[in-house]
Amino acid sequence: MIKYIHNLPQHKAWPVIKFILQSLFYFMIIIAFLYLFNYSGKGQGHFIYNEF
C-alpha cells in the first residue's frame, strides 16, 4: 500500500491533473449529447406547419 502512495504525483501536480480529467469528462458529455441529438429527427415525417 505504501509503495502506491510513493508513486503518486506530487501535490503540486494535482490541480493540473484535476483540470485535465474534468476537461475530458465534460468533453465526453458534450460528445454524448451531440451523438444523441443527431438521432432526434431520424425517420420522422416533416412537421405539418413547416410548409406554411
Side-chain angles (χ1 to χ4, degrees), residues 27-46:
F27 178 73
M28 294 304 290
I29 289 175
I30 291 172
I31 294 298
F33 282 146
L34 290 174
Y35 178 75
L36 293 174
F37 182 72
N38 284 333
Y39 285 112
S40 65
K42 301 286 184 191
Q44 296 177 356
H46 295 290

Side-chain angles (χ1 to χ4, degrees), residues 2-3 5-7 12-14 16 19-21 29 33 36 38-39 41 47-51:
I2 293 178
K3 71 176 184 175
I5 294 173
H6 289 294
N7 289 334
K12 294 178 183 178
W14 280 115
V16 175
F19 174 77
I20 291 171
L21 290 176
I29 289 175
F33 282 146
L36 293 174
N38 284 333
Y39 285 112
F47 188 61
I48 191 169
Y49 296 112
N50 282 348
E51 303 297 326

Side-chain angles (χ1 to χ4, degrees), residues 8-24:
L8 289 174
Q10 299 297 322
H11 292 288
K12 294 178 183 178
W14 280 115
V16 175
I17 293 170
K18 182 180 176 184
F19 174 77
I20 291 171
L21 290 176
Q22 281 182 338
S23 298
L24 288 173

